[in-house]
Amino acid sequence: MPRSPSFTHDQILDAARDAAFEHWRSATVGHVTALLGAPSGSIYHRFASRDVLFGSAWIRSIKAFQAGLTRAAETDDPIEAIVRTALWIPEFCRRHPRDARMMTVFRYADLVATGPPQLQEELRHLNDPVADHLRRLTEGRYGRVTRHGMEVVALACRDSPYGIVRPMIGEPIPAWIDDAVRVTSTALAQLDD
């Protein structure tokens, strides 16, 4: 009779995320097994390589971030919806510092271009929810979707807040960062499309 696994899929991904929190891009399967107290065979039985393991942990962290993104923007005021989306970035980083740091281990474009084949199907549509959200915010703000409008909204609710928070990811995010994000996001969201 086959033995049941000692560690769940999520426990292994948690350990990969935690190893990346401590060692960032130099995290290894050895770091993961040390955190779990497991032999490397139990990892490679489920994840074919280091890249599949850490890529899977990265995808899970991205999905965790995305899960709160649209809820953060629930308001009828289009500019406030953009600002609340922007504020989700420091809030997520504060609530989930390990996932936030895991999200910096890979770049999406790099994983799509050179990542493991086992992850390509999941990667193909990974950012669709964010693109859809940006389109809805743009439509709400301007009454239409234009390329420039999308660029302005992305700058206001994604690029600018991420740029503010990025140097602190994995560290405590001070409360005043929210004020900086709110001010910059509001100013940007008021630009014409």
Side-chain angles (χ1 to χ4, degrees), residues 10-80:
D10 279 333
Q11 286 173 320
I12 294 170
L13 292 180
D14 286 346
R17 178 204 58 207
D18 293 349
F21 184 78
E22 295 299 324
H23 305 283
W24 199 45
R25 291 183 176 154
S26 59
T28 65
V29 173
H31 292 125
V32 175
T33 60
L35 287 169
L36 288 171
S40 61
S42 63
I43 305 299
Y44 287 117
H45 178 71
R46 296 206 211 154
F47 299 93
S49 68
R50 177 201 177 276
D51 288 343
V52 172
L53 171 62
F54 286 98
S56 297
W58 181 86
I59 288 169
R60 189 182 69 160
S61 293
I62 296 293
K63 287 181 176 181
F65 171 78
Q66 291 174 350
L69 191 64
T70 54
R71 283 193 309 272
E74 291 176 356
T75 178
D76 292 332
D77 180 327
I79 289 180
E80 184 62 19

Side-chain angles (χ1 to χ4, degrees), residues 11 21 70 74 83 128 173 183 191:
Q11 286 173 320
F21 184 78
T70 54
E74 291 176 356
V83 172
D128 289 356
I173 308 288
V183 167
L191 295 173

